[in-house]
Amino acid sequence: MASDEPPPRWLPFVVLGVGLLAISFGAILARLAQGYGLPSLSIATLRLGLAALLITPIALWQSGHVLRALSRRQVLLTCGAGFFLALHFATWITSLEYTSVASSTALVTTNLLWVGIASFFLFGEKPGALMAFGIAISLSGSVLIFWSDSQSSVAGSQPLLGNFLAIVGSWCFSAYLLIGRRLRANLPLPAYVWLAYGSASLFLLFACLLNSTPLTGYSGAAYLIALGMAVGPQLLGHTSYNWSLRHVSATFIAVVTLGEPVGSAALAWLFFGESFALVQGIGFVLLLFGIYLAARGEGR
């Protein structure tokens, strides 16, 4: 009975904050793995595959009875969520080969816009005035970050390709959030996470086989980084989003993801020397302020 009681009102916001901090390391670790020779598709496959393996004992222990009783519709929806999650990581991690961390993360987190539009048309969800204002402020900050970064010399040799791949990744993550919201209403977190991450890793493994992308033969440091991505950004970061889907709206979670460019850009400056201009700094402030406003709107 206790597990059916709603959590304290503040808890989902704290969980999302911890998840945002963990997920901000995703781009940094992906860049480091690419530096050790891991192809982007291999990075995505190892990240999700290792995460699925690590959570398997918990999923079978806590939710084995639920997994055995899955309906055909639930299995198909979960596979759909895994498919879009696989596409999200394949396109987004590849985008880091062509554009800067700031541009890639700013564009991939525009899923707020797509989730808000889809939630309105599919579910009839109309955000309140304060949340809508927070969305607008956050998006304006994201646009400033992208514009400023596109004018700098930090961007890669093919920034337009990288930016396009990041946007495609955003569309895919939006679909993943919307499908997951429906599934999480009736599935416990360990079962959903195991199914989503596991099916996504299988889709990526199939893509590696088709593309002749190897998963073996790399250095121990490369595999340690991949393991760090599975434990940190994936299990701690994304799982916090999945847990929160049952307690806050998908639109608000999309707003929270807009904080990722702030953390990732700061870490990129620390590890790779990717500095940011004054306009980008203003964009980061707008992002955080928009998230705060959206949190107030969600709390009401």
Side-chain angles (χ1 to χ4, degrees):
M1 293 295 293
S3 60
D4 294 330
E5 296 178 1
R9 194 172 185 83
W10 51 267
L11 185 58
F13 302 107
V14 172
V15 170
L16 284 172
V18 173
L20 177 61
L21 178 62
I23 212 170
S24 294
F25 279 90
I28 307 304
L29 293 174
R31 269 283 181 85
L32 289 174
Q34 288 169 345
Y36 278 97
L38 268 176
S40 298
L41 194 58
S42 299
I43 295 172
T45 306
L46 290 170
R47 170 175 173 161
L48 286 166
L50 290 172
L53 287 175
L54 288 171
I55 204 170
T56 295
I58 299 175
L60 296 180
W61 175 51
Q62 292 190 353
S63 307
H65 62 290
V66 176
L67 293 171
R68 289 189 293 269
L70 286 175
S71 66
R72 183 179 179 183
R73 178 178 178 273
Q74 287 176 314
V75 172
L76 291 176
L77 283 175
T78 305
C79 288
F83 175 75
F84 284 112
L85 185 62
L87 280 180
H88 161 71
F89 280 114
T91 53
W92 170 62
I93 292 177
T94 303
S95 76
L96 292 167
E97 297 181 20
Y98 303 106
T99 192
S100 70
V101 169
S103 274
S104 177
T105 52
L107 288 173
V108 81
T109 51
T110 54
N111 52 75
L112 161 68
L113 175 63
W114 321 120
V115 168
I117 293 173
S119 293
F120 176 75
F121 285 105
L122 295 178
F123 309 134
E125 290 185 357
K126 186 176 180 180
L130 189 57
M131 174 171 275
F133 184 57
I135 289 174
I137 294 294
S138 296
L139 282 175
S140 65
S142 185
V143 169
L144 280 180
I145 293 172
F146 169 60
W147 179 84
S148 176
D149 186 74
S150 67
Q151 305 302 309
S152 71
S153 59
V154 173
S157 58
Q158 301 183 61
L160 289 180
L161 174 59
N163 294 341
F164 174 73
L165 289 171
I167 291 175
V168 173
S170 177
W171 294 340
C172 295
F173 192 68
S174 301
Y176 167 69
L177 280 179
L178 290 169
I179 296 174
R181 179 192 170 206
R182 288 301 189 189
L183 286 168
R184 279 289 288 127
N186 299 305
L187 281 180
L189 180 62
Y192 172 68
V193 165
W194 183 71
L195 288 168
Y197 296 175
S199 60
S201 65
L202 290 178
F203 282 120
L204 288 168
L205 179 60
F206 183 65
C208 286
L209 294 175
L210 286 180
N211 200 39
S212 299
T213 302
L215 293 173
T216 59
Y218 305 103
S219 66
Y223 289 113
L224 279 177
I225 294 172
L227 179 61
M229 294 181 72
V231 174
Q234 193 61 44
L235 285 179
L236 183 58
H238 276 266
T239 302
S240 72
Y241 289 176
N242 287 321
W243 178 86
S244 301
L245 278 171
R246 199 166 185 174
H247 308 291
V248 297
S249 68
T251 302
F252 176 69
I253 292 177
V255 174
V256 172
T257 63
L258 283 175
E260 183 182 348
V262 179
S264 295
L267 292 170
W269 171 78
L270 180 64
F271 287 99
F272 308 128
E274 289 190 6
S275 59
F276 48 87
L278 176 63
V279 175
Q280 277 181 304
I282 296 173
F284 296 155
V285 172
L286 289 175
L287 274 173
L288 293 174
F289 183 58
I291 291 172
Y292 168 75
L293 292 178
R296 291 288 300 272
E298 178 74 13
R300 292 181 181 180

